[in-house]
Amino acid sequence: MIRNITQKERISAFRDKRFIILGSIILVLLLTAAATGIINYRVLAAERKLAQSTATENFNNQPDRHPHRVAHYGSYAFRPKSVLSFLDFGLDSYTGTMVYLEAHQQNSANFSQVQQSGAMIRFGEMTIAFVMQWLIPLLIIFLCFNTFTLEHEEGTLKVLLSQGVSLKAIAKAKLLGYIQVISMIVLPAFFFVFLFVLSINDFILDSSLLLRTAVFMLTYLLYFFIFIAGSILISALNKHSRTALVTLLGIWIFSIVLMPKALSNLGSSLHEEPSKAAMDASVHEESKNGIDGHDPMDKRLEQFKQGLLEKYQVDSLSQLPVNVDGLIMALGEESSSKIYQEHFDELVAIYDDQNRLSIWAGFINPYLAIRNISMSMAGTDFFHYVDFLNAAEKYRYALTQHLNNLQATKVAHKDKTSRLKADIYASYPPFYYEGPAFTKALANVSLSIIALAFWTALVYGLIIITMNKKKNLI
Amino acid sequence: MKQLRILLHFEWLNFKTEKSLVAFCLLMLLSGFYGIFSGHYELKKQRNKIAGLEQIYQANIREMGEKFPDSADAGDIGYYHSAFAKNHPDNWAALAIGQRDVSPAYLKIRLLAVQNQLYNSENTNPLKLATGSFDLSFVMVFLLPLFIIAISFNLLSAEKEQGTLRLLLAQPLKLSTLFLAKIIFRFLLIAAMVILLSITALLWTGAAPDLRALYWLLAILLYAIFWLGTSCAIAALQRSSAFNAISLLGVWLMLAVIAPVLINAATDISKPVQEGLQLTMVQREAVHGGWDKPKAETMDRFFKHYPQYSNTGSVEGAFKWKWYYAFQELGDRSVETLYKAYRQKMLDRLSLASNLSVVSPPAKLQEVLNGIAGTELQQHLDFIAGTKAYHDRLKAFYYPYLYQDRAFQHADFAKEPQYSFTAAPDYTKSASGILVLLAANVLVSLLAIFMFKTNTKELK
């Protein structure tokens, strides 16, 4: 009997022309999304790779220069596209792609996609994640909204119950049936996605890539399950198909269109971030005058010079075995970078405060949970972006200090014009960036995964409880 | 006419008792109020950031005073001092934040080569940007159609399903009159909401009730009629409420989500932008290459543009700022064509997206509203162009000190040029958008009438 119900749901879904049409539209959109995602990935990845290699080439082929000239000439960090970004663009279009790395100052990441687009980009982006987060739930709602109400309206539920089948058993059978129907659409799609993942990585099996893809797919399966079970539940709780449908659509609109925007705007209203200009001014102020006006830089420099003279037992700076200019520069860089890093960490903490509301709300709204996990696995969330910015700053600092060190050891005191042979610069390794490891990305979204698991248990539990309570009829 | 008034009255009575309808209205109003508050708050944050600049500017000038107590070489000032180009929002921007949240509201400008100073970013939270602003324009573009669908998807089907339609038609009453009454009632309700929210927004944000208010209301009311027309066209099919709800949500999804998303994808794929990255890198090579070129050659090229300074004297020997700023300027000039190409590419992307968006009234309305508020990419590009011109004014101010060897006195800061920009509304774009919305209305009204005529025969 149970098997019959499951089979009936499966067969009637595929007999329903409207479902077939909607399902096909979604499959076509999935393919379109995959295609645009892959084109987008290839174009942007190639563009940034080329830009990074041009930057490296320019750096390695520069003329003979004074080390401090090179420090100002600087370098670039281009954010490489993560391989899985084609699944979910996440925040990629909203984050800068290029950081200019130079001595004495930390520049913003510039040339984000959104800054070069009109308002159209704000409607969303065609990605596999978009289809799976927005459209498949709608397909599920459409498929399941009248599963109980129709039986009720047509009187078939009574007949079923009179056969001695419990309401709980019917619900379970229906659940299984719809899972099968949705699987028939989703699993082939996942198979193609998997092939795309392999092909985009030139068929090299990479454990982190596979793990990310696996978590990506598994959590989406939970997300779909939540919608299937939730729709069945709402259908069981309503007398009429009309009200069940309107309720479900209302929930969809509220959780996918309305709530994410409201929460993220609220978070940003509650926690105000400083402007870049104000932040830079504070860094400048604090490195010049010391934090809270204690220990100003001039005084520290005097002490530093005095210390050197004493250490090497000489009378004047020009007698030192090293060039004090480079050392002073290094001292300044060390202090200002440290202060910058503190301010940057504070800024990131403010952003985390702004975003916290949306992350915890995963327990109220499974869409927010899956959105977070999906971006993270694709390597396109805020955490991955900040990791890149930190890596770029780390490289900038190391490069600058390396050049300061060259000045200290290879150029004479007060000499601002001699040039070092270019190959001494070319030997410095170029900027190379690899995103955070899978485990770190996973740990960062653990709360969202718990939220999704919580929802899975909740909807299943509610079905069981409701059905036990309602033993006979609504 | 009297019949119509009676029908409207009963619609009103019916509306008052229908809890879900009242709830929808409240939800819509609540969202609208939150949108107004949130847009206003976002603007306030931007204004706070701009307001904070004055203090930074003054602190910098004080520092210059400490560093160069008597008089200074203008070259030092040009290097260590910075001014701000400010992009002040109009109050209207609170109603449609548009692209203002992704573009910086100010640019920090030094006398050095300007091209790598024009594209710096502000501190922004990318998750917030990606989720988008919850401003009044969002409420109008996305939620208003859903509200309209919610109150009119069962325009006829509800009466039919409750069995009241037959009773009504048993009276000496034409179905078309009933239909019309229901539509008029809903339109009045929607118009009241739109006007109430818009007036609240104007009062709350202090946006000037000028021609823009007229454009704003016109565009949104046309948009509302479009969705009402669509609902009628579906309702005229005389199918079940469930069918209507699904079809209308499908239309909404197609027009408000999928079409814009596809238009954006098409724009990105057919017109990718690499010019920005290219511009910065080429400019850096040109500027820093200046250090390695013969000084005389650089100066000769510089004097071609500034013959008035050609007798400024030799720059050979020890470092001279004159030479430094000459190659900075030449670095900018060497990428002038790239700058134009970059700007043009962004304009092309905008116009392509704008042309494609005729298929999507929601995208069109967003464009119109952003145009009214002056918050599109177009206006930011204007600000960038204005900032570049501002840098020219700074050069015109500082170059005489530099190249005529005049000492820069601290008091001269008072004469430094300033730049504040406020975007003007883009009436042309808004007007053409409104025409598109009008055309969409005509189409959908014809469709609704046709559907009604062909599908209601059996009922008559």
Side-chain angles (χ1 to χ4, degrees), chain A residues 170-184:
Chain A
I170 298 176
K172 275 187 179 172
K174 281 177 181 294
L175 189 61
L176 193 63
Y178 291 125
I179 289 176
Q180 287 174 2
V181 174
I182 292 301
S183 302
M184 279 181 230

Side-chain angles (χ1 to χ4, degrees), chain A residues 261-279:
Chain A
K261 254 194 199 238
L263 283 183
S264 115
N265 279 261
L266 190 64
S268 133
S269 302
L270 290 176
H271 307 275
E272 203 159 330
E273 73 279 352
S275 71
K276 171 88 169 120
M279 202 171 115

Side-chain angles (χ1 to χ4, degrees), chain A residues 65 69 73-74 108-110 115-117 119 122 142 265 268 273-274 276-277 284 351 354-355 419, chain B residues 45 49 63 99 101-102 106 120-125 129 132 241 246 284-285 291-292 342 349 376:
Chain A
R65 277 176 174 150
R69 284 269 53 73
Y73 173 73
S108 57
N110 298 340
Q115 286 175 325
Q116 311 181 98
S117 304
R122 309 305 285 275
F142 174 72
N265 279 261
S268 133
E273 73 279 352
K276 171 88 169 120
H284 174 73
Y351 289 152
Q354 293 180 352
N355 298 340
R419 292 157 185 255
Chain B
K45 274 174 79 173
K49 286 178 179 170
E63 194 185 324
Q99 294 291 79
D101 55 347
V102 294
Y106 62 86
N120 285 332
S121 306
E122 174 58 298
N123 285 343
T124 47
N125 178 353
L129 296 183
S241 295
I246 287 182
R284 177 183 71 150
E285 291 307 312
W291 288 95
D292 309 313
Y342 181 39
R349 281 163 65 87
E376 248 300 342

Side-chain angles (χ1 to χ4, degrees), chain B residues 232-296:
Chain B
C232 290
I234 301 278
L237 289 176
Q238 305 265 356
R239 304 283 291 269
S240 71
S241 295
F243 173 86
N244 291 356
I246 287 182
S247 312
L248 284 169
L249 192 78
V251 176
W252 177 84
L253 199 65
M254 271 299 175
L255 296 182
V257 183
I258 295 175
V261 163
L262 286 175
I263 292 170
N264 181 54
T267 312
D268 270 350
I269 288 172
S270 65
K271 290 190 187 302
V273 248
Q274 298 106 343
E275 286 83 349
L277 302 186
Q278 233 179 338
L279 170 68
T280 346
M281 294 175 76
V282 173
Q283 192 244 17
R284 177 183 71 150
E285 291 307 312
V287 169
H288 286 268
W291 288 95
D292 309 313
K293 289 205 179 78
K295 290 182 178 175

